[in-house]
Amino acid sequence: MTTPAALQPVMLDDRRRFLATTAGGIGAMALGGLLTRDGYAAETRANAPGAPGFPHLPVRAKRVIYLFQSGAPSQIDLFDEKTKLQELNGTDLPESVRQGQRLTGMTATQERFPITPSIYRFAKHGQSGASISELLPHTAQVVDDLCFIRTMHTTAINHAPAVTFFQTGFQLAGRPSIGSWLAYGLGSENDDLPAFIAMISGSGGQPLYDRLWGSGFLPSKYQGVKFRSIGDPVLYLSNPPGLDTDVRRQMLDDLKTLNTQRLQEQGDPEISTRIAQYEMAFRMQRSVPDLTDLSGETEQTLKLYGDDARKPGTFAYNCLLARRMAERGVRFIQLFHRDWDHHLNLPNGITKQVGLTDQASAALIQDLKQRGLLDETLVVWGGEFGRTVYCQGKLTAKDYGRDHHPRCFTVWVSGGGIKRGLTYGTTDDLSYNVVDKPVHVHDLHATLLHCLGVDHTKLTFKFQGRHYRLTDIHGEVMQPLLA
């Protein structure tokens, strides 16, 4: 017998409802099998402590504070001293050094590529004898706690893909950020704060996008939460006027009931995320005001970070806040500081940026160390690529600019599992190519994960039929960097 056409939609809808809601039905069985096979079971739990089996290596560090210097600081003027450049000042970059390597559109049409030495003096500091520019007097005081990687190199040559690559391991948008990977793999140490928090400082420079702390194809509960510098640190943290905490709690309980019913009907893991995030938001209404209240910090601590530590939205304030987050067990703390993009008038621009960041960066290391937190916290400082040895624009005795340079640049790392007082890798006399001990972005990611107790080849997520990971199909743990 043929079913009347008018009744077919109703019957089809009933069939779908039966498959979605029947506890022992075929649909529930198939859905459960698929979720288990794809490793979805742990991800859909409202308060998952992390992926099953993680960590599976000895844990040297529990968390990361990443001080990302967006725009690309000049390694030649800060960390990579090249004394022979004075002899070559103003001469053209030899083709034997460049070797046909790609240039950006900003200098590709220049008639000349004049070699430009730094105008800043370098000196050796600490027992390690690390060579540091006079621009970084505060960093110079903590060199024995740092590991300088001079031979970082990357694939991208322009800002957006290069920043995205450092955050996600891929140049194109859409992959999970490193903080989201850690939140997924290791979970959170604090039920009242997000596992992943991002903060931004600096004005001008390249734009920063929310996708840089996004979860990509991971469940959205693993995305970073951006803290703001104006008003509530997190949007809608305060209750609307006339709404007290008891009423808010009742509203959330009612919403949870409705969402739970919907979850039982649909089986959509994002509904679990919604329930969990509403609960986290409620807990944050109590935990965030305490986190951002600096009234309990001593005058000595505030002076350590500098005058800007009292001003929300500054790099110094964010560094101090990062230490407070580390104390409370936030898994991944990302600080973005903008405006290191010095194509022209570099001396003026770089002087301004080190004035905003040098003291606070060193203070964070000192503060973590004296509180016993540095041994269990990884601190990373660096940008998305380096700067060219040749000048962009007009070269004078006191003024010059530098273009993007992905072939070699410097990043420093400190904390649990990393050797301290180490300068790793060698670049050529022009800081243009790596001579010895190259370190790729994937290698850095693999090494950081290793210190956190994670085998980077096993932190994976199946999406569209393929198992993805932060390091893609690349990455080697840099054993010489490990303590």
Side-chain angles (χ1 to χ4, degrees), residues 222-268:
Y222 299 115
Q223 70 185 6
V225 174
K226 178 185 174 183
F227 271 38
R228 308 185 312 149
S229 58
I230 300 175
D232 285 340
V234 181
L235 286 172
Y236 312 117
L237 190 66
S238 300
N239 288 325
L243 188 69
D244 61 26
T245 302
D246 291 339
V247 174
R248 169 67 77 182
R249 181 66 265 173
Q250 184 178 349
M251 290 174 59
L252 291 177
D253 289 342
D254 292 342
L255 273 174
K256 183 177 181 180
T257 299
L258 294 173
N259 281 322
T260 300
Q261 291 176 357
R262 193 65 172 171
L263 176 63
Q264 292 172 348
E265 294 175 359
Q266 301 294 324
D268 184 353

Side-chain angles (χ1 to χ4, degrees), residues 189-207:
E189 291 186 287
N190 188 325
D191 290 337
D192 296 330
L193 287 170
F196 177 17
I197 295 175
M199 296 178 281
I200 296 176
S201 59
S203 59
Q206 298 297 319

Side-chain angles (χ1 to χ4, degrees), residues 441-460:
V441 175
H442 290 310
D443 300 330
L444 178 64
H445 286 165
T447 305
L448 296 177
L449 291 178
H450 182 88
C451 292
L452 291 157
V454 176
D455 181 341
H456 71 104
T457 66
K458 296 179 180 179
L459 181 57
T460 64

Side-chain angles (χ1 to χ4, degrees), residues 165-471:
F165 194 42
F166 251 100
Q167 303 309 313
T168 69
F170 201 67
Q171 293 188 51
L172 301 180
R175 300 282 183 93
S177 61
I178 181 173
S180 294
W181 277 114
L182 286 178
Y184 160 63
L186 298 179
S188 176
E189 291 186 287
N190 188 325
D191 290 337
D192 296 330
L193 287 170
F196 177 17
I197 295 175
M199 296 178 281
I200 296 176
S201 59
S203 59
Q206 298 297 319
L208 296 170
Y209 310 100
D210 285 2
R211 59 177 168 78
L212 296 175
W213 48 90
S215 57
F217 46 69
L218 291 177
S220 58
K221 70 176 177 179
Y222 299 115
Q223 70 185 6
V225 174
K226 178 185 174 183
F227 271 38
R228 308 185 312 149
S229 58
I230 300 175
D232 285 340
V234 181
L235 286 172
Y236 312 117
L237 190 66
S238 300
N239 288 325
L243 188 69
D244 61 26
T245 302
D246 291 339
V247 174
R248 169 67 77 182
R249 181 66 265 173
Q250 184 178 349
M251 290 174 59
L252 291 177
D253 289 342
D254 292 342
L255 273 174
K256 183 177 181 180
T257 299
L258 294 173
N259 281 322
T260 300
Q261 291 176 357
R262 193 65 172 171
L263 176 63
Q264 292 172 348
E265 294 175 359
Q266 301 294 324
D268 184 353
E270 282 300 304
I271 300 176
S272 293
T273 293
R274 186 185 309 160
I275 295 170
Q277 296 304 71
Y278 275 136
E279 293 302 315
M280 172 61 76
F282 182 74
R283 295 194 297 272
M284 285 172 63
Q285 288 187 304
R286 294 173 295 174
S287 62
V288 171
D290 174 69
L291 169 67
T292 57
D293 180 7
L294 305 186
S295 61
E297 296 291 340
T298 66
E299 192 66 23
Q300 182 181 5
T301 298
L302 293 170
K303 287 182 178 179
L304 179 67
Y305 284 87
D307 293 338
D308 281 351
R310 306 172 191 271
K311 304 172 185 176
T314 64
F315 182 77
Y317 178 89
N318 289 348
C319 281
L320 178 53
L321 211 56
R323 188 224 79 209
R324 293 173 64 84
M325 292 177 186
E327 287 178 313
R328 289 160 173 78
V330 176
R331 181 71 67 187
F332 195 90
I333 306 156
Q334 178 87 66
L335 275 63
F336 290 93
H337 184 76
R338 296 181 294 183
D339 210 13
W340 286 96
D341 192 20
H342 303 139
H343 291 274
L344 305 172
N345 196 15
L346 182 145
N348 180 66
I350 201 169
T351 300
K352 176 183 177 182
Q353 293 313 311
V354 296
L356 294 172
T357 60
D358 177 43
Q359 181 175 353
S361 299
L364 178 61
I365 298 297
Q366 294 170 300
D367 201 8
L368 289 170
K369 185 177 180 179
Q370 69 187 12
R371 295 170 187 270
L373 289 169
L374 187 58
D375 287 340
E376 60 183 35
T377 305
L378 283 169
V379 183
V380 187
W381 189 104
E384 64 267 36
F385 38 61
R387 290 282 158 180
T388 56
V389 68
Y390 62 79
C391 180
Q392 177 178 343
K394 187 177 180 180
L395 172 61
T396 70
K398 295 184 178 180
D399 193 18
Y400 52 90
R402 300 191 190 276
D403 200 4
H404 307 166
H405 189 61
R407 297 290 301 176
C408 62
F409 56 104
T410 301
V411 166
W412 62 250
V413 187
S414 181
I418 295 293
K419 284 182 181 176
R420 303 183 193 182
L422 174 67
T423 297
Y424 185 81
T426 306
T427 60
D428 62 20
D429 290 338
L430 303 179
S431 192
Y432 203 89
N433 293 297
V434 173
V435 172
D436 185 37
K437 302 174 182 175
V439 181
H440 192 267
V441 175
H442 290 310
D443 300 330
L444 178 64
H445 286 165
T447 305
L448 296 177
L449 291 178
H450 182 88
C451 292
L452 291 157
V454 176
D455 181 341
H456 71 104
T457 66
K458 296 179 180 179
L459 181 57
T460 64
F461 188 89
K462 191 173 183 180
F463 176 67
Q464 293 183 343
R466 175 190 163 188
H467 288 279
Y468 287 88
R469 68 186 205 217
L470 174 64
T471 52

